[in-house]
């Protein structure tokens, strides 16, 4: 009862007071005129506020979203050693936390932008009044009024609103600023501001601007540099330019004075800072420490396929997601691959003259130098630069460079025209024309045990052409495909010692294609030789015989299993007539070096989001017990084998063992001087149109080709051994520390047997030596496939023939001596042609 009486009492008081207030309002409304006007104005203001709220505030974003706001950040790329080597960025952005900002830098921005920041509630009424007066005074003049925005209002505009210049946007900004102040602390607001404010040179935030203007991190900045960064929000695209240097210094000094007035620095400190020049650094590419444009573009394509390009494609997009990408790029191997491939192109080009411009710009489309800047064409070779011909008159010409300067050009042909984009090199007070080789090519280096691509070069320079010849150019591999034909033969009953005819082979390909007869490169042939000899000397006829004996369908299946390509079962494909890429060939050879186990080629090891969480990983193997809290005392847990088995391990090793002979005494013999356990195969396509080499060691496989983008004859002298193999040799010599002397290890099930290198028959007396042309060698056989022991009788017969040959040679010597006594010394009219077996 007491509680009910209490409630009724309060209801009574509310009714009584409300009735009294209403009576008071009616009495004043009737009797006082000023009260009526005041009430009308107050009601109108309230109505306007309700309308403004309905029209403006209802669609404003929620300020609480700033608590989870993630700014667009570039994707950072790391190399194999973890160092940053590149970034995918259309804007410079680096996100820091509030404690990371130097206190003096914060004070510089407060002095320049909002000295009452820590005391106002989001709106500075004094600044707002000044802005209103300035706006009214400039109405109709076309000039933009002073904004009068606080730092909180700028955060609202930069992150949650547009940059529209209107009263409506200003009102929204004010409303939103009040919301932000109630949702975030002052430190959180400053953190957003200092990370997001646009400061010119495509930089957003003070850390990105510090790198862009001074090539420093924020904690390394000096006072005068901090004051300069603080002036940029007013006119970011003006104060950073050379022609406005005086204005920038004046504004910087004003900020220093404001810092003194606010007690942030002393007068002496400000005076010392004022005496300093601006000290701006020229703008340069950020985080590009490796010249690996083709590699980075391939990574970018892979990332965009998985995560999208912009923020609209998802929160982990390439250009906004702030990803951290760990790649397999080895900068040292990459530089060597670039230089070796370019060296091969330059050697081939020789003195062939100027092949033409690298690009052409239409003079009718405006300023040529500006068009050149927009094209992003460039070159990184010696001290060459890319320029555009701006004038041409008779024997004189002028070249314009991307820095806006023009110079006289010398050493140019009559075919040079205005608008031609060319490579030039400084010569005296001008520049002289240089030739970028027309021939091109591709290069890939890979780790066979993991499939990680260590280096990739897809042409002379990615800034001249982004067409990646290592992954996108379909080329005939020529004889580099032969090891996989031999692998098919080994899988179908042959051995490295099998005798194969080196004789003409004709094949009827049907009514449409008719009969096809094959021949060796350079002609010749005849006799019967070991499979090893055929591979070492790259004999076409022997390869076709092996392919037909093994069955072309089986050969094609072998090509498909190792990822080279899928072709029709015609013998021409056994000689490399089908198209493939450098990357595919290197991957296939990696399977040979890895005992027939192939890992798919990868350029990315793993991807982390902006918070460090791994969201993609190349190695997806499960590892049981790897995440135990404590060791259980059992054997160390290990993940399973990676990749898939595409070849018999024994077959793969037999092929590698034969390919060692290609380097020791075969078509790649020029690599023998490297004194490394290398294997490999050269290749030359019909024409010749392409020159190839693929090979390497147990740890690194590299492959390359040289040829024209529109295939044509490179010249009859061109072969894989004299054109492509030297590129590989240069690559190894530049990276010698990466190559070990560890030999290829035979897998279980391989028997090493002594044989006669020429005949392939088993040898029981004598020891194999390291001599390239040793008569006795170790050969790899699968169990029960080695030559039988009865070959001892054959060895005795061979020794008997050797003795007979010696007797006959002695008889000929005596006859020659008698001939000389009668007629004088015989002339050397016969030149014996030796050969390497």
């Amino acid at each position: 009862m007491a509680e009910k009486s209490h409630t009724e009492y309060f209801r009574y008081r509310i009714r009584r007071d409300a009735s009294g207030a209403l009576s008071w309002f009616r009495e004043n409304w009737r009797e006082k005129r000023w009260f009526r006007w005041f009430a009308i104005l107050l009601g109108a203001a309230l109505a306007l506020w309700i309308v403004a709220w309905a029209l403006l505030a209802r669609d404003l974003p929620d300020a609480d979203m700033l608590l989870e706001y993630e700014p667009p950040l570039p994707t950072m790329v790391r190399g194999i050693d973890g160092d940053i080597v590149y970034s995918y960025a259309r804007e410079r952005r680096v996100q820091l936390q509030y404690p990371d900002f130097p206190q003096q830098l914060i004070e510089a921005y407060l002095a320049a932008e909002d000295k009452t920041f820590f005391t106002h509630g989001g709106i500075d009424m004094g600044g707002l009044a000044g802005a209103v007066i300035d706006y009214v005074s400039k109405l109709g003049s076309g000039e933009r009024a002073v904004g009068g925005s606080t730092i909180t209002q700028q955060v609202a505009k930069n992150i949650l609103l547009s940059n529209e210049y209107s009263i409506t946007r200003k009102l929204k900004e004010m409303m939103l600023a009040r919301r932000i102040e109630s949702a975030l602390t002052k430190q959180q607001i400053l953190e957003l501001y200092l990370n997001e404010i646009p400061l010119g040179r495509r930089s957003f935030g003070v850390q990105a601007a510090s790198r862009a203007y001074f090539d420093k991190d924020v904690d390394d900045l000096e006072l005068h540099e901090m004051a300069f960064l603080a002036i940029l929000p007013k006119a970011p695209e003006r104060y950073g330019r050379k022609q406005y240097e005086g204005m920038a210094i004046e504004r910087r000094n004003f900020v220093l004075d404001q810092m003194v007035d606010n007690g942030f620095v002393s007068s002496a400190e400000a005076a010392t800072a004022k005496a300093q020049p601006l000290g701006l650094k020229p703008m340069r590419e950020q985080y590009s420490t490796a010249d690996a444009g083709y590699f980075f573009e391939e990574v970018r394509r892979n990332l965009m396929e998985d995560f999208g390009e912009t923020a609209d494609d998802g929160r982990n997009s390439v250009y906004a997601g702030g990803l951290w990408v760990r790649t397999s790029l080895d900068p040292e191997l990459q530089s060597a691959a670039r230089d070796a491939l370019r060296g091969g192109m330059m050697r081939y080009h020789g003195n062939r003259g100027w092949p033409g411009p690298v690009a052409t710009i239409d003079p009718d489309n405006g300023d040529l130098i500006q068009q050149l800047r927009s094209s992003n064409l460039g070159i990184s070779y010696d001290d060459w630069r890319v320029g555009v011909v701006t004038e041409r008159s008779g024997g004189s010409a002028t070249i314009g460079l991307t820095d806006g300067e023009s110079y006289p050009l010398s050493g140019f042909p009559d075919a040079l025209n205005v608008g031609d984009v060319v490579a030039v090199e400084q010569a005296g007070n001008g520049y002289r024309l240089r030739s970028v080789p027309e021939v091109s090519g591709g290069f890939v280096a890979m780790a066979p045990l993991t499939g990680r691509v260590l280096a990739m070069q897809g042409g002379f320079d990615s800034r001249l052409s982004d067409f990646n010849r290592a992954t996108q150019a379909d080329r005939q591999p020529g004889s580099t495909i032969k090891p996989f034909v031999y692998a098919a033969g080994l899988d179908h009953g042959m051995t490295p010692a099998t005798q194969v005819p080196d004789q003409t082979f004709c094949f009827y390909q049907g009514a449409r294609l008719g009969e096809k007869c094959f021949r060796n490169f350079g002609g010749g042939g005849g006799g019967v030789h070991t499979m090893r000899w055929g591979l070492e000397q790259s004999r076409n006829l022997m390869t076709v015989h092996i392919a037909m004996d093994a069955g072309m369908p089986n050969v094609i299946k072998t090509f498909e299993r190792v990822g080279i390509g899928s072709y029709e079962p015609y013998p021409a494909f056994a000689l490399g007539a089908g198209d493939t890429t450098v990357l595919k060939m290197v991957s296939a050879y990696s399977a040979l070096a890895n005992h027939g186990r192939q890992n798919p080629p990868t350029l990315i090891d793993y991807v982390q989001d902006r918070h460090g969480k791994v969201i993609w990983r190349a190695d997806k193997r499960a590892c049981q017990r790897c995440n135990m809290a404590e060791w259980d005392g059992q054997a160390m847990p290990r993940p399973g084998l990676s990749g898939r088995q595409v070849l018999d391990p024994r077959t793969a090793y037999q092929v590698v063992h034969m390919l060692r002979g290609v380097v020791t005494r075969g078509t790649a013999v020029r690599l023998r001087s490297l004194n490394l356990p290398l294997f490999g195969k050269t290749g030359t396509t019909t024409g010749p149109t392409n020159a190839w080499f693929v090979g390497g060691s147990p740890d690194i496989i590299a492959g390359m080709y040289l040829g024209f983008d529109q295939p044509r004859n490179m010249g009859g002298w061109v072969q894989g051994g004299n054109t492509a193999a030297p590129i590989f040799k240069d690559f190894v010599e530049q990276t010698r520390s990466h190559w070990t002397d560890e030999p290829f290890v035979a897998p279980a099930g391989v028997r090493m047997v002594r044989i006669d290198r020429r005949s392939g028959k088993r040898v029981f007396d004598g020891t194999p030596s390291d001599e390239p042309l040793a008569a006795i060698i170790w050969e790899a056989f699968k169990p029960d496939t080695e030559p039988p022991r009865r070959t001892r009788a054959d060895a005795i017969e061979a020794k008997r023939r050797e003795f007979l040959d010696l007797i006959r040679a002695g008889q000929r010597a005596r006859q020659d001596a008698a001939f000389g006594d009668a007629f004088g010394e015989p002339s050397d009219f016969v030149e014996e042609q030796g050969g390497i077996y």
Side-chain angles (χ1 to χ4, degrees):
M1 290 293 295
E3 181 178 350
K4 183 176 180 181
S5 300
H6 206 62
T7 302
E8 289 178 352
Y9 170 75
F10 277 109
R11 288 176 178 173
Y12 164 74
R13 289 290 304 269
I14 291 172
R15 288 195 300 270
R16 186 192 69 179
D17 293 345
S19 177
L22 185 60
S23 299
W24 174 84
F25 182 82
R26 290 172 178 169
E27 181 179 349
N28 282 282
W29 178 270
R30 289 193 304 266
E31 298 178 359
K32 298 176 182 178
R33 184 177 180 183
W34 66 268
F35 183 82
R36 286 198 300 272
W37 282 108
F38 177 77
I40 292 171
L41 291 174
L42 183 62
L46 182 60
L48 286 173
W49 176 256
I50 294 173
V51 171
W53 184 268
L55 295 178
L56 300 177
R58 66 177 181 178
D59 294 329
L60 287 178
D62 187 356
D64 288 337
M65 67 179 291
L66 292 177
L67 293 170
E68 300 179 357
Y69 172 69
E70 292 185 340
L73 292 175
T75 290
M76 309 303 294
V77 181
R78 297 184 185 274
I80 196 170
D81 55 2
D83 290 340
I84 296 176
V85 292
Y86 198 70
S87 69
Y88 301 110
R90 292 177 178 144
E91 299 170 343
R92 295 171 180 261
R93 291 180 182 267
V94 181
Q95 189 175 19
L96 301 180
Q97 295 182 336
Y98 184 78
D100 298 326
F101 299 111
Q103 183 61 32
Q104 213 165 51
L105 179 63
I106 294 173
E107 292 167 348
Y109 273 92
L110 294 178
E113 293 294 312
D114 190 357
K115 62 183 179 182
T116 63
F117 172 74
F118 281 101
T119 59
H120 64 62
I123 301 172
D124 181 4
M125 300 309 295
L128 178 61
V132 171
I133 294 172
D134 189 61
Y135 178 81
V136 173
S137 66
K138 291 179 178 177
L139 277 175
S141 66
E143 296 183 50
R144 188 163 183 146
V146 174
S149 296
T150 64
I151 284 178
T152 310
Q153 288 175 263
Q154 292 183 58
V155 169
K157 179 187 70 174
N158 293 332
I159 299 178
L160 301 176
L161 299 174
S162 68
N163 200 31
E164 174 192 2
Y165 179 63
S166 67
I167 295 177
T168 302
R169 196 268 298 163
K170 198 69 176 178
L171 291 172
K172 289 182 178 180
E173 181 184 293
M174 293 167 61
M175 293 179 182
L176 200 52
R178 296 292 297 175
R179 292 186 183 181
I180 292 173
E181 289 280 346
S182 64
L184 277 67
T185 65
K186 289 289 187 179
Q187 289 76 16
Q188 289 174 322
I189 296 170
L190 263 179
E191 181 180 308
L192 286 170
Y193 174 76
L194 294 174
N195 278 323
E196 287 296 306
I197 188 72
L199 298 174
R201 293 196 178 183
R202 295 189 296 113
S203 59
F204 289 75
V206 294
Q207 169 63 17
S210 179
R211 299 295 305 179
Y213 289 98
F214 300 110
D215 200 19
K216 294 180 179 180
D217 294 321
V218 288
D219 53 1
D220 295 326
L221 292 174
E222 298 180 27
L223 177 58
H224 70 279
E225 295 167 334
M226 296 179 185
F228 171 80
L229 294 181
I231 73 173
L232 291 174
K234 296 296 184 187
E237 298 301 334
R238 173 182 294 180
Y239 290 137
R241 297 182 184 274
K242 182 71 175 176
Q243 61 264 39
Y244 300 113
E245 184 175 349
M247 295 175 58
I249 291 176
E250 182 180 350
R251 177 68 182 173
R252 180 200 68 180
N253 293 346
F254 169 77
V255 171
L256 289 168
D257 289 336
Q258 292 296 304
M259 294 182 74
V260 174
D261 293 343
N262 286 276
F264 297 145
V265 298
S266 66
S267 299
E269 289 174 318
T272 301
K274 288 179 183 180
Q276 300 296 323
L278 288 182
L280 305 185
K281 302 289 185 183
M283 189 173 178
R284 66 178 182 85
E285 188 67 31
Q286 195 178 30
Y287 301 119
S288 184
T289 60
D291 188 6
Y294 293 104
F295 187 100
F296 295 141
E297 178 59 21
E298 197 70 20
V299 170
R300 189 181 75 94
R301 290 192 187 105
N302 293 343
L303 290 173
M304 287 176 59
E305 184 176 338
D306 289 334
F307 301 109
E309 181 177 2
T310 65
D312 294 336
D313 299 318
R315 63 191 304 266
N316 293 318
S317 64
V318 174
Y319 287 99
L323 303 178
W324 289 88
V325 181
R326 184 65 169 264
T327 70
S328 54
L329 177 73
D330 187 311
E332 184 179 349
L333 292 179
Q334 174 61 36
S335 295
R338 175 202 62 196
D339 293 344
L341 186 62
R342 285 178 176 175
M345 294 180 196
M346 296 298 286
R347 282 192 298 270
Y348 176 82
H349 180 76
N351 297 318
R352 283 178 168 79
W354 186 61
V358 297
T360 303
I361 295 175
D362 189 352
D364 295 335
N365 291 337
D367 182 76
L368 288 170
I369 295 179
Q370 184 58 43
Q371 290 187 68
L372 179 63
R373 285 199 194 102
S374 302
S375 70
N376 293 321
L377 291 170
I379 194 169
S380 175
Y381 180 74
D382 289 345
D383 55 355
W384 291 13
R385 300 180 68 180
V386 165
V388 59
V389 179
T390 56
E391 296 180 20
R392 172 70 199 277
S393 178
S396 64
T398 302
I399 191 78
L401 304 179
T402 53
D403 58 8
E405 301 294 330
S406 296
Y407 302 89
L409 181 65
S410 61
F412 57 87
D414 292 338
L416 190 74
N417 296 308
V418 172
D420 285 347
V421 179
V422 296
V424 294
E425 182 181 31
Q426 191 166 12
N429 295 325
Y431 282 80
R432 61 185 171 194
L433 190 67
R434 282 304 186 205
S435 297
V436 176
E438 186 180 7
V439 71
S440 195
F443 188 112
V444 171
M446 179 186 292
L449 299 181
T450 61
R452 301 169 81 195
V453 176
L454 305 173
M456 177 182 290
Q457 187 71 13
F460 195 85
D461 197 307
S462 62
R463 282 151 289 214
L464 298 177
S465 168
D466 61 2
F467 179 66
N468 191 342
R469 295 157 189 85
T471 61
Q472 295 175 303
D474 289 322
R475 292 292 175 135
Q476 293 181 345
S479 295
T480 57
I481 208 170
K482 289 179 181 176
F484 303 97
V485 178
Y486 281 64
L490 293 170
D491 281 339
H492 290 82
M494 297 183 182
T495 75
T498 297
Q499 296 288 317
V500 181
D502 185 26
Q503 298 165 1
T504 301
F505 186 93
C506 294
F507 176 75
Y508 183 69
Q509 303 179 101
R512 183 171 62 89
L513 298 176
E515 187 176 59
K516 169 72 175 178
C517 289
F518 298 91
R519 65 182 182 87
N520 286 317
F521 183 86
V528 178
H529 305 277
T530 64
M531 177 187 273
R532 165 180 285 279
W533 186 87
L535 187 56
E536 290 178 353
Q537 300 305 314
S538 195
R539 307 298 283 183
N540 289 349
L541 293 176
M542 293 180 67
T543 303
V544 174
H545 278 283
I546 293 170
M548 298 307 290
D549 288 347
M552 274 307 301
N554 294 322
V555 172
I556 297 302
K557 289 178 182 177
T558 301
F559 294 164
E560 292 174 349
R561 286 202 309 272
V562 298
I564 293 175
S566 181
Y567 314 114
E568 295 295 325
Y570 297 130
F573 292 112
L575 301 179
D579 288 337
T580 189
T581 66
V582 179
L583 183 62
K584 291 177 181 178
M585 290 303 299
V586 172
S587 178
Y589 272 70
S590 293
L592 291 175
N594 194 28
H595 292 170
R597 197 166 191 87
Q598 187 177 46
N599 294 284
T602 60
L603 286 76
I604 301 172
D605 292 342
Y606 57 85
V607 179
Q608 297 168 281
D609 66 14
R610 67 176 67 212
H611 304 297
K613 180 183 178 182
V614 175
I615 57 176
W616 186 91
R617 187 187 297 276
D619 188 350
K620 296 179 174 60
R621 292 176 295 169
C623 183
Q624 301 296 329
R625 301 167 43 242
C626 284
N627 293 326
M628 291 186 296
E630 294 182 3
W631 181 44
D632 60 2
Q634 301 299 314
M636 181 181 294
R638 298 180 184 276
L641 291 174
S642 62
R644 62 189 184 94
Q645 198 73 40
V646 295
L647 292 173
D648 184 321
R650 302 166 300 174
T651 297
Y653 180 77
Q654 286 180 300
V655 174
V656 168
H657 196 246
M658 288 190 287
L659 290 175
R660 291 277 291 112
V662 174
V663 175
T664 302
R665 53 188 164 264
T667 57
V669 69
R670 67 179 60 236
L671 302 179
R672 191 171 68 201
S673 61
L674 293 171
N675 293 319
L676 287 169
L678 299 174
F679 81 111
K681 185 70 186 73
T682 59
T684 311
T685 57
T686 302
T689 56
N690 301 294
W692 283 76
F693 178 81
V694 187
S697 72
D699 300 318
I700 301 175
I701 306 297
M704 67 240 45
Y705 87 89
L706 223 59
F708 294 100
D709 285 343
Q710 298 298 323
R712 66 173 189 264
N713 194 311
M714 297 178 68
W717 60 274
V718 170
Q719 296 180 33
N722 60 29
T723 302
I727 297 175
F728 178 82
K729 187 175 183 180
D730 289 349
F731 174 69
V732 175
E733 289 175 340
Q734 292 182 55
T735 59
R736 189 61 178 79
S737 62
H738 287 259
W739 302 80
T740 69
D741 296 327
E742 295 296 324
F744 292 91
V745 178
V750 169
R751 300 188 62 179
M752 303 304 294
V753 176
R754 289 177 294 180
I755 67 166
D756 182 272
R757 179 171 58 84
R758 292 180 177 87
S759 68
K761 294 183 178 180
R762 193 164 184 172
V763 174
F764 296 93
D765 297 320
T767 302
S769 72
D770 294 331
E771 291 298 318
L773 301 180
I776 303 173
I777 64 171
W778 290 109
E779 191 59 272
F781 293 92
K782 297 172 185 175
D784 299 327
T785 66
E786 62 268 31
R789 298 183 64 84
R790 66 174 178 271
T791 54
R792 181 182 294 274
D794 296 329
I796 295 173
E797 176 62 23
K799 184 65 69 174
R800 187 183 71 82
R801 289 196 300 269
E802 182 180 342
F803 286 140
L804 291 175
D805 289 341
L806 289 173
I807 294 171
R808 294 189 186 101
Q811 292 174 345
R812 285 197 298 271
R814 287 193 294 273
Q815 292 172 357
D816 290 342
F819 181 85
D821 291 340
F823 301 103
E825 291 298 323
S827 60
D828 296 330
F829 57 89
V830 176
E831 180 181 355
E832 182 178 357
Q833 295 188 0
I836 299 177
Y837 288 83

